[in-house]
Amino acid sequence: MELLSLRDAVARHVHDGDTVAMEGFTHLIPFAAGHELIRQHRRDLTLIRMTPDIIYDQLIGAGCARKLVFSWGGNPGVGSLHRLRDAVEHGWPGSIEIEEHSHAAMASAYAAGAAGLPIALLKGYHGTDLVEHNPNIRFVEDPFTGQRLAAVPALRPDVAVIHAQRADEDGNVLIEGIVGVQKESVLSASRAVVTVEEVVADLAAPSPNSVVLPGWTIDAVAVVPGGSHPSYTHGYSDRDNAFYKAWDAISRDRDTFQQWIRDNVLDGESP
Amino acid sequence: MSDHTAQEMMVVAAARALHNDDVCFVGIGAPSAACNLARVTHAPDITLVYESGTIGTRPTVLPLSIGDGELCDTALTTVSVPEMFQYWLQGGRISIGFLGAAQIDRFGNINTTVIGGYAAPRVRLPGGGGAPEIASHSEKVYVIANHSTRTMVEQIDFVTSLGFGRDGNGRRRHGLKTQGPALVITDLCLMEPGADHELEVTSLHPGVTTDRVRAATGWDIRIVPEPARTPTPTVDELTALRHLYAATDRAHGGDA
C-alpha cells in the first residue's frame, strides 16, 4: 500500500482499456475518483457496478466507457440515468455494449471473484428474458441433487475503486454502515484503490467484527474528504438527495451535461 | 374520509395488505411508502428489509434510494449485499416481496427493463435490480402500479421478473414452490390471481366503476361477479401517510 494523491493513484493504477469496478451500494460511491478518471481522459473502460448511479452516468457521458456490466441502471427514487439511456438508445457519445444481470447474480459474482472461484451459482433468473440476451447467464445441474442452478462468471476486475471512512498509517481501511460489496470488489480485483475521508493514527475499529480491509490487500490509499459526494459516508456526511434530484435536469440534455462536467470536473483541481 | 387522491388510496390499500408478522423486502417508491405506512399504523412490528442490507429498519422519513443513511441508522442490523441476497432472500426468509412495475400483464409478469426491443429499445428502463429473485424467492409478491393501458398491457415487451409466466404455468415449469403474485394494487382497484393464475379484479376503490377499470386495462380484464368496495382511507391512515410524505419532503430538500 502506498499513500498517494488521487491523481497519482489513478494515473498509476487505472489504465485505458481496464475493467474497472467502482463500487459502493448507494453509500460510499467513489465520485471523486470517478471525476479523476474523467479528468485523466480514460478511454475504452469496461465499467462494472451493480447500480451505475450518477457516477457511471458521468463516466459514460464523458466517453470513458466501452462496456457496462450492471444490474440496475436508474437514478434511485428519481428516474432514468439519461446519459446511460442516450448511449444505449442513440449511441451518444459512442455506442456502449451492455451486460445485464440481476443484483443477486452480481453480488454472488463478486463474492465468487473474491473466493477465487471461476463461477457463481445461484437459484435465480427463473423465467426472466435476461437469459435470452446475456450469454453469461447459463444453467448447470447440481451433481448431488440434480437441481438446476443459474451460473454466471465470477467478476475479476483489473482494478477496484472504493471510498471508505478512514485508513490508518499502514493503509488498513475501515468500512462502516451499508457495506454493500466493498470488501468483495476489492478482494476480487487485481488492484485496489481506496479513497478515504481521513488517515488516522489509530483506526479505532468499533468492534472485533468491524469490516476492515488490511493494508496489504490495497495498492493505493488517497485522502479525499467528501470523496463520496453526492453519495455519502456514514458518520461523516449525508446523502445529497437534492443533488440526485437536480441531476435529472442537468443530465437530460447533452449540452447542460457537458457544461456541468466542464465546470465541476474538467476545470476542477485534482485532489 | 373522501378527501383523498387516487395515489393515496393506492398506498393505503397496499399498506392494509401487510401484517405485523410479515418480513417484507421493500422496493423504493410506492412500495416503501406502503410498507412504512403499515409500520406506523397497524403493523408496528413488521420487519422491513431493503436490498442494501438493512434488516428491521424503521425510517422516520421515506428513503429516496434503497441505501439512504436513515435505513442503516434505524436498522436492527445491516449486512453485506451478497449476504442479503444469498442468506436472507434466496434462503427463504422473506414473506412478502413488494415490487413496482413499468408494465404488467394478465399473469402478473413484470417488465422494468425496456419498452420496445432489447437491442435497440425505444425506452431503456432501469432494469431488474433485485426484482427477478425477489419475484422467485419471496413467499408472496405484491405489485403496486398505476392503472393505465400503458402499464396494464396484453403483451409486456420484456419479462424482467416472473409472475406466472406468459402462459400462466411458468412457476410450475421452473419448479418454484413460492406463491408468486398474490395481490396487485393499483390506483383503481385490487387484483388477485384466479384458479388459472390470471388476474381478476376483486375490489374496486371508492368511486371507480368496472367500465373505468376495463378502459384502463390493455386486455379483456376479468372482474369477479360482485367485487368488493375498497374501504375509503380513514383519517388516521391519511394523516399518517401525509405526515410521512411531508417529513420526507423536508428531509430531501423539497419538491419530492
Side-chain angles (χ1 to χ4, degrees):
Chain A
M1 191 288 305
E2 285 180 292
L3 189 60
L4 297 174
S5 68
L6 179 56
R7 179 167 48 193
D8 290 346
V10 165
R12 198 164 309 177
H13 294 292
V14 186
H15 313 124
D16 286 354
D18 272 356
T19 297
V20 184
M22 308 185 79
E23 274 296 353
F25 201 83
T26 304
H27 176 220
L28 294 173
I29 299 176
F31 271 93
H35 292 172
E36 188 59 28
L37 264 63
I38 294 172
R39 267 194 296 273
Q40 296 191 20
H41 301 288
R42 286 293 170 279
R43 287 293 177 269
D44 298 321
L45 301 175
T46 292
L47 295 175
I48 307 175
R49 250 187 82 78
M50 293 181 65
T51 63
D53 205 278
I54 291 177
I55 185 174
Y56 279 4
D57 212 34
Q58 293 173 348
L59 283 158
I60 290 166
C64 304
R66 181 187 70 76
K67 179 179 177 182
L68 175 68
V69 182
F70 75 110
S71 41
W72 192 83
N75 180 346
V78 177
S80 290
L81 292 175
H82 296 292
R83 295 299 95 222
L84 169 58
R85 277 187 59 178
D86 203 10
V88 171
E89 294 170 13
H90 307 113
W92 191 91
S95 62
I96 189 162
E97 182 186 345
I98 62 171
E99 178 179 334
E100 184 167 5
H101 289 278
S102 67
H103 279 349
M106 274 194 81
S108 292
Y110 274 122
L117 289 168
I119 63 170
L121 296 177
L122 67 152
K123 294 199 290 183
Y125 288 124
H126 302 93
T128 168
D129 289 346
L130 283 168
V131 175
E132 292 163 29
H133 298 280
N134 181 349
N136 275 346
I137 303 169
R138 301 191 192 180
F139 294 88
V140 297
E141 187 179 287
D142 167 12
F144 302 103
T145 66
Q147 194 176 169
R148 189 171 182 256
L149 298 171
V152 295
L155 287 169
R156 305 301 304 267
D158 293 316
V159 56
V161 181
I162 64 166
H163 188 74
Q165 272 84 4
R166 56 187 179 268
D168 64 19
E169 285 155 2
D170 297 323
N172 302 308
V173 167
L174 176 76
I175 303 165
E176 289 186 292
I178 290 171
V179 293
V181 288
Q182 306 293 85
K183 180 189 251 184
E184 290 77 10
S185 59
V186 164
L187 296 181
S188 68
S190 303
R191 301 184 300 279
V193 173
V194 183
T195 57
V196 294
E197 294 290 327
E198 58 178 339
V199 169
V200 294
D202 178 358
L203 206 55
S207 150
N209 305 111
S210 294
V211 178
V212 173
L213 284 164
W216 49 267
T217 64
I218 292 160
D219 294 87
V221 171
V223 180
V224 188
S228 65
H229 180 269
S231 161
Y232 70 104
T233 301
H234 184 100
Y236 290 79
S237 60
D238 293 328
R239 191 172 191 266
D240 189 350
N241 282 326
F243 182 85
Y244 272 84
K245 290 178 180 175
W247 183 251
D248 190 67
I250 295 166
S251 61
R252 199 175 280 269
D253 175 85
R254 292 173 186 171
D255 291 335
T256 56
F257 164 77
Q258 289 182 311
Q259 188 64 45
W260 189 93
I261 290 288
R262 267 195 299 277
D263 293 346
N264 296 278
V265 179
L266 296 175
D267 292 348
E269 295 271 314
S270 297
Chain B
M1 190 174 184
S2 58
D3 175 28
H4 67 270
T5 68
Q7 293 300 306
E8 287 172 332
M9 181 70 257
M10 177 169 76
V11 173
V12 166
R16 288 174 185 158
L18 299 167
H19 303 289
N20 217 21
D21 56 356
D22 275 325
V23 179
C24 195
F25 205 107
V26 188
I28 275 304
S32 181
C35 290
N36 282 290
L37 178 60
R39 186 177 58 76
V40 300
T41 53
H42 65 277
D45 298 323
I46 189 171
T47 296
L48 303 185
V49 173
Y50 288 72
E51 66 191 14
S52 55
T54 56
I55 297 175
T57 184
R58 311 174 67 79
T60 55
V61 302
L62 298 174
L64 184 65
S65 77
I66 36 74
D68 279 24
E70 173 84 5
L71 294 174
C72 180
D73 290 340
T74 61
L76 175 65
T77 184
T78 298
V79 301
S80 74
V81 168
E83 179 178 325
M84 174 51 64
F85 282 97
Q86 291 172 354
Y87 299 178
W88 300 91
L89 180 60
Q90 185 174 269
R93 300 283 172 173
I94 305 298
S95 65
I96 309 280
F98 215 132
L99 300 173
Q103 287 184 328
I104 182 168
D105 68 13
R106 68 177 72 210
F107 289 116
N109 301 297
I110 293 172
N111 175 19
T112 54
T113 303
V114 286
I115 304 298
Y118 185 80
R122 256 196 336 281
V123 180
R124 175 64 231 200
L125 301 165
E133 282 76 21
I134 294 170
S136 52
H137 296 315
S138 304
E139 185 48 40
K140 291 195 273 190
V141 174
Y142 293 171
V143 186
I144 189 164
N146 284 314
H147 208 129
S148 79
T149 51
R150 285 179 61 199
T151 311
M152 308 283 162
V153 296
E154 176 74 43
Q155 291 287 336
I156 62 178
D157 290 345
F158 191 96
V159 178
T160 309
S161 305
L162 181 68
F164 292 102
R166 289 192 188 268
D167 63 358
N169 290 312
R171 299 188 81 83
R172 197 175 311 148
R173 201 163 46 249
H174 285 282
L176 292 172
K177 303 284 196 289
T178 49
Q179 280 186 46
L183 180 65
V184 177
I185 306 109
T186 79
D187 49 337
L188 300 183
C189 65
L190 303 179
M191 296 185 279
E192 297 171 61
D196 63 353
H197 299 146
E198 182 167 333
L199 293 172
E200 303 173 338
V201 175
T202 54
S203 184
L204 295 164
H205 295 342
V208 176
T209 62
T210 54
D211 282 352
R212 188 159 160 222
V213 170
R214 285 202 176 89
T217 309
W219 69 88
D220 187 12
I221 180 87
R222 278 189 201 160
I223 298 173
V224 300
E226 291 185 28
R229 185 59 73 178
T230 314
T232 301
T234 66
V235 173
D236 285 353
E237 286 168 331
L238 276 183
T239 304
L241 180 60
R242 288 171 185 175
H243 180 78
L244 265 178
Y245 281 137
T248 303
D249 274 2
R250 283 194 300 277
H252 294 178
D255 54 64

